Amino acid sequence: MSDQVRTAIVTGSARGIGAAVAKRLAADGYGVAVVDLDEAACATTVDAITAAGGQAIGVGANVADEQSVVSAVERIATDFGKPTILVNNAGILRDNLLFKMSVDDWDAVLGVHLRGAFLMSREVQKHQVEEKWGRIVNLSSTSALGNRGQANYAAAKAGMQGFTKTLAIELGRYNVTVNAIAPGFIETEMTAATAERVGVPFEDFKKGAASQIPVNRVGQPEDIAHTASFFCSEGAGFVSGQVVYVAGGPKD
């Protein structure tokens, strides 16, 4: 790939919000490494990007595993281009009320979200510092403010905000910005699974959510992709350590 093209990594980008972000960054002119647990699952996003004239590569990695992350980032840097943009989007749900939540469910969610963001950021920052330019975008959530049945997810997403602000302080001197996006209700397979878990048809679930949102609709993955595009842009170089709630209305 051309040295003039910046390389972006988007984790959890085989589907949903991650896929939308990957496609948008490719449309913005970046080469995109589509990273997900199952490399074969990355093909749909990669094919969509290349069909639109963009540059992409699919990479399988477990973001919660140190060696897997080290190998994946090394492979991307060697075969595709030194990554200077990172979107930490990979995430899972293991919802349950506290008294029914297992240690495995707690560890799995904290592992993918927080440990994953830490490991990916630690590897990618080496290239950002070397290039004296970088962008890190972390996915938080309105659940960071508290959400019944999501003690693990809420703790992880609140942790992402503290992680974001700390990295912004540490990496700013190297011309690296670090920001977070906290989506509200976004229409994805993940929210469809939540509706199924609580026993509500997805269309009814969406209507109920939209009625509580000031703009009177649920969010789409592209809504998050637009915000990520801004944070990764040259023009956002003086915006760092921020958390933007993309939720169709104000959140505290």
Side-chain angles (χ1 to χ4, degrees):
M1 198 166 68
S2 164
D3 291 339
Q4 279 72 48
V5 177
R6 287 187 169 130
T7 299
I9 295 175
V10 184
T11 67
S13 50
R15 61 189 64 79
I17 288 172
V21 170
K23 291 171 192 173
R24 176 58 192 261
L25 294 184
D28 289 344
Y30 307 116
V32 180
V34 175
V35 174
D36 215 290
L37 190 59
D38 177 12
E39 187 161 324
C42 298
T44 304
T45 305
V46 170
D47 290 348
I49 289 171
T50 53
Q55 301 178 67
I57 181 177
V59 178
N62 175 2
V63 297
D65 180 81
E66 183 176 15
Q67 193 49 55
S68 181
V69 167
V70 170
S71 299
V73 174
E74 192 175 287
R75 176 182 158 194
I76 292 162
T78 303
D79 297 349
F80 196 60
K82 291 181 180 179
T84 53
I85 297 171
L86 171 64
V87 180
N88 285 309
N89 167 78
I92 58 170
L93 291 178
R94 295 288 186 272
D95 294 352
N96 231 326
L97 294 172
L98 180 66
F99 77 98
K100 292 195 284 188
M101 187 174 289
S102 69
V103 172
D104 284 349
D105 285 347
W106 176 271
D107 287 347
V109 170
L110 272 289
V112 173
H113 292 269
L114 274 181
R115 182 181 167 97
F118 155 65
L119 290 172
M120 289 298 305
S121 300
R122 194 180 64 176
E123 286 308 301
V124 170
Q125 61 84 31
K126 299 172 186 175
H127 299 287
Q128 295 173 324
V129 169
E130 188 181 301
E131 297 296 318
K132 297 184 173 57
W133 190 93
R135 301 283 188 262
I136 296 175
V137 180
N138 296 317
L139 268 292
S140 180
S141 168
T142 53
S143 292
L145 304 171
N147 198 27
R148 179 180 171 85
Q150 288 194 317
N152 47 5
Y153 188 77
K157 291 308 197 182
M160 289 291 260
Q161 298 190 16
F163 180 66
T164 295
K165 291 172 185 291
T166 301
L167 291 199
I169 294 166
E170 292 186 10
L171 297 175
R173 68 183 61 192
Y174 303 106
N175 196 26
V176 177
T177 66
V178 189
N179 293 287
I181 302 171
F185 190 108
I186 308 294
E187 186 178 344
T188 64
E189 288 178 25
M190 195 177 267
T191 46
T194 301
E196 190 176 338
R197 179 178 60 83
V198 297
V200 178
F202 194 33
E203 286 306 314
D204 295 344
F205 195 60
K206 287 188 290 182
K207 281 178 189 168
S211 70
Q212 304 298 312
I213 298 171
V215 300
N216 202 35
R217 70 170 176 89
V218 299
Q220 297 300 318
E222 290 72 23
D223 290 313
I224 307 307
H226 280 295
T227 309
S229 172
F230 166 70
F231 278 144
C232 294
S233 70
E234 203 64 52
F238 202 55
V239 181
S240 198
Q242 303 305 303
V243 180
V244 173
Y245 284 87
V246 183
K251 295 289 177 181
D252 296 327

